[in-house]
Amino acid sequence: MSRSARSTDARLLVGSVWASAAFAVLSLVWGLLAGSQMIVFDGLYSFTAVLLSLLAVFALRTAHRGADERYPWGREVWEPVAITVKAVALGGLCVYALVGAVGELLRGGREIAAGPAVVYAVLATAVGFAIASRLRRGSDEQSDLVRAEAAEWTGDALLGVGVLVGFLVAFVLQAVGNDHLARYVDPMMVAVTSAVYLWVPARLLAGSFREVLSMAPSASIQRDLRTCVDDVEQEYGFSESFLRAAKVGSRMDIEIDFVVAPTSKAQHVTEFDAVRQQIDDRLEPLGYEKSMSVTFTADRKWAV
């Protein structure tokens, strides 16, 4: 990832932090005035996201400092670590809200001002889609942190649509005199929304934890790497090739071992360097910082 792209991603994350902070304050105040546990939960979720987005900005800037004696392979691991912390915190908040909503339902529900709640839901949905779109279009070479931030805003917006429908139902029930039924709408929405919200941190955690553990990258990336290695193996007539790869934040760790046969087209150091350069050029479109090792051996045992 280029320096300009990194700077752009940092600005996008900072902008998301400010948007989350403003939205959190608005949600908390609006929710308390409307008596809606759902809107208060949305505000608490946004406030938590603010703190975690600050962590994401810190992680991104730390990763950009590069390698040194303490981090000989680079600091990119801070990116999946930040996403993991974010996923765990948001998941915990969702579970807490779900338990509270179930308790509210058992106590007979909650009365809300449905009209202001409908206005809030319309505003929240529009803002969520707008910011998610801005994050996705803001950078050609997005980091995982920016993609995670965009996914979070998209999740907010999609759930905002469901919340809007729920508040409209409460508004209609109040209008026709069924206040006793309308009382259950708000805690029911909190229960459903917090349960659905769990997919966002669960998906983030699944991806980031793989990177913290230096597991293999996605199947699509592995296919691209394997295709490149197989093509080079056939072109130069190597006996066999071995590929190992792991994605850590914006860095791709790649180890490639070729078994050289007596008839292989590359036999000398300068020819091996040409092979390395060819592989590096072919993998450039992946868009990751590469930590790549390409070795050659005539004895298979050194490659396995």
Side-chain angles (χ1 to χ4, degrees):
M1 180 179 291
S2 65
R3 184 179 297 273
S4 62
R6 289 173 172 176
S7 177
T8 298
D9 283 356
R11 287 197 299 272
L12 289 172
L13 287 173
V14 170
S16 179
V17 168
W18 283 107
S20 295
F23 196 72
V25 173
L26 176 66
S27 299
L28 290 172
V29 173
W30 205 313
L32 291 173
L33 292 177
S36 171
Q37 187 183 29
M38 178 64 239
I39 299 178
V40 171
F41 167 69
D42 206 16
L44 289 174
Y45 191 94
S46 297
F47 182 73
T48 303
V50 169
L51 300 179
L52 296 172
S53 293
L54 289 173
L55 175 63
V57 172
F58 168 78
L60 190 64
R61 291 178 174 173
T62 299
H64 294 171
R65 290 167 58 187
D68 58 17
E69 292 183 358
R70 292 184 62 192
Y71 294 88
W73 305 110
R75 292 175 162 83
E76 286 82 3
V77 71
W78 278 95
E79 296 179 38
V81 166
I83 295 174
T84 299
V85 172
K86 183 173 189 173
V88 170
L90 293 178
L93 177 61
C94 289
V95 171
Y96 175 79
L98 177 60
V99 172
V102 171
E104 195 81 30
L105 286 169
L106 294 176
R107 290 191 294 270
R110 169 188 290 269
E111 184 178 352
I112 64 168
V118 169
V119 175
Y120 168 83
V122 172
L123 178 63
T125 302
V127 169
F129 279 125
I131 295 178
S133 177
R134 174 73 181 96
L135 289 170
R136 288 196 177 92
R137 292 184 293 104
S139 175
D140 293 331
E141 304 177 51
Q142 290 183 347
S143 68
D144 288 346
L145 290 168
V146 173
R147 282 191 285 268
E149 199 77 8
E152 184 183 328
W153 280 104
T154 300
D156 290 346
L158 291 174
L159 287 171
V161 175
V163 170
L164 173 59
V165 173
F167 282 142
L168 286 172
V169 170
F171 182 80
V172 171
L173 288 173
Q174 290 180 354
V176 298
N178 289 322
D179 289 9
H180 62 291
L181 295 178
R183 292 177 60 88
Y184 288 95
V185 172
D186 188 68
M188 178 62 72
M189 282 196 302
V190 175
V192 173
T193 300
S194 57
V196 174
Y197 257 132
L198 282 171
W199 79 269
V200 176
R203 187 171 63 84
L204 293 177
L205 184 62
S208 62
F209 205 57
R210 288 179 60 89
E211 296 185 19
V212 171
L213 296 177
S214 294
M215 296 175 67
S218 66
S220 62
I221 293 177
Q222 291 186 64
R223 282 195 301 271
D224 291 340
L225 294 173
R226 188 69 257 177
T227 298
C228 174
V229 173
D230 288 346
D231 288 348
V232 171
E233 178 186 337
Q234 292 178 13
E235 179 180 347
Y236 287 89
F238 296 125
S239 298
E240 202 172 358
S241 63
F242 297 87
L243 169 66
R244 300 171 182 85
K247 178 181 171 298
V248 182
S250 57
R251 188 186 77 234
M252 187 73 66
D253 296 333
I254 306 169
E255 179 185 316
I256 303 170
D257 302 292
F258 290 108
V259 180
V260 182
T263 56
S264 298
K265 295 179 181 179
Q267 296 287 338
H268 305 290
V269 172
T270 55
E271 294 169 331
F272 293 154
D273 284 343
V275 175
R276 292 186 178 97
Q277 186 62 58
Q278 181 178 341
I279 293 174
D280 185 69
D281 292 341
R282 289 192 55 170
L283 296 182
E284 194 66 30
L286 290 178
Y288 294 99
E289 295 284 347
K290 295 189 297 296
S291 176
M292 187 170 66
S293 173
V294 183
T295 65
F296 303 86
T297 179
D299 190 340
R300 187 178 187 273
K301 74 176 183 180
W302 301 116
V304 176

